[in-house]
Amino acid sequence: MSNDSTADGPADPDPPIDDRDSARESDRRIGDRERAGPKPPGFEADDPIEATADAADGDAIVLEGVTKRYGTTVALADVTLSTEPGIHGLIGPNGSGKTTLFRLIAGLSNPTSGRIDRPAAVGYSFQEPRFYPELTVRENLAVFRSLDDDPEPRSWVETLCAELRLEPAVHRRAGDVSGGFRKKLDLALALLSRPSVLLLDEPLADVDEFSRRKILDFFADYADDDRTIVVSSHNAAAFEGLYDRVTILLDGELRADGAPDDPRVGKYRRYYG
């Protein structure tokens, strides 16, 4: 697939990122502070919020009995799950609850019930890339890096540009680059703080084949250093051979969880390979 396509901007019901205040600008950096983003469609103000979301002592994400309802629709039903280092595939068809689960882990939405523990730093690459469209790619990287209290060295930014093949676009206005470069910029922004846990929602969308292979190699090396990458993708087969663990979600329910060769996971292989 080529990444030559262009668009006017990321389709997102939220206001453009350059209209947000400084607290909302840092939504991609998941830490201790509460997020100020809008509630998802269908959220009712009087929904009972019984869940807690605390920073875990280690680098694991732990969900216990997590349920999410939008009115009468159950998006997630009593999900209990924990992560561990490696590449973790979150697999299921459209509407299975994958993005909802990511938003709950990231603190961008509240569960209706249950408990979520997460590390102090979680990187999140959104399904629809989010950045300042009026700034160049490099300016976006500089602005988001400045939001960290203790930013990684500038050499890490250059590493990301090289490994994600962003270099050809670094001086271009971000709103003018192709869909593939938009996605790669969003990945770089999620990785800026070198988080121990990374949530990737459709990380290879619109990315050309050569860049895809290079990015997959980078993900494998990144996870090898005791880090966790949770991947949600319609193109799950692209990660075949990289998964250390696979979780199957169907209709908001956890149907299987384990190693890719686990027979319980294998029953759902049509969804990921």
Side-chain angles (χ1 to χ4, degrees), residues 62-68 74-82 90 96-98 100-101 104-105 111 113-116 247-255 257:
V62 179
L63 296 91
E64 298 179 355
V66 171
T67 293
K68 178 62 180 179
V74 179
L76 288 173
D78 195 26
V79 173
T80 295
L81 180 68
S82 62
L90 182 63
S96 59
K98 302 186 300 296
T100 297
L101 185 57
L104 293 177
I105 293 171
S113 61
R115 180 180 179 85
I116 302 173
T247 296
I248 304 295
L249 275 181
L250 286 177
D251 300 325
E253 297 180 354
L254 195 156
R255 299 293 182 88
D257 178 56

Side-chain angles (χ1 to χ4, degrees), residues 187-265:
L187 288 171
L189 295 176
L191 283 155
L192 272 178
S193 63
R194 218 178 315 213
S196 59
V197 176
L198 190 61
L199 306 178
L200 304 179
D201 200 346
E202 297 298 336
L204 302 178
D206 297 322
V207 175
D208 65 273
E209 186 61 31
F210 180 77
S211 295
R212 182 177 299 172
R213 292 195 298 270
K214 188 172 179 63
I215 290 170
L216 289 173
D217 288 343
F218 174 69
F219 287 161
D221 289 342
Y222 191 82
D224 277 346
D225 195 16
D226 280 337
R227 299 188 182 99
T228 301
I229 300 177
V230 186
V231 179
S232 170
S233 177
H234 296 131
N235 189 20
F239 287 82
E240 187 168 12
L242 294 180
Y243 293 126
D244 297 295
R245 183 173 167 192
V246 173
T247 296
I248 304 295
L249 275 181
L250 286 177
D251 300 325
E253 297 180 354
L254 195 156
R255 299 293 182 88
D257 178 56
D261 58 358
D262 187 313
R264 293 167 296 181
V265 172

Side-chain angles (χ1 to χ4, degrees), residues 130-151:
R130 299 186 182 188
F131 47 75
Y132 290 96
E134 298 299 326
L135 299 181
T136 67
V137 168
R138 186 170 292 283
E139 287 169 342
N140 268 280
L141 292 168
V143 167
F144 281 101
R145 178 177 176 273
S146 71
L147 296 175
D148 280 323
D149 295 331
D150 184 20

Side-chain angles (χ1 to χ4, degrees), residues 3-38:
N3 64 347
D4 293 334
S5 60
T6 59
D8 292 334
D12 195 305
D14 294 347
I17 194 166
D18 50 350
D19 290 337
R20 299 174 182 177
D21 59 31
S22 58
R24 294 174 68 190
E25 289 167 6
S26 61
D27 275 357
R28 70 173 58 253
R29 298 184 307 133
I30 309 306
D32 296 330
R33 71 185 70 181
E34 292 295 323
R35 297 302 180 233

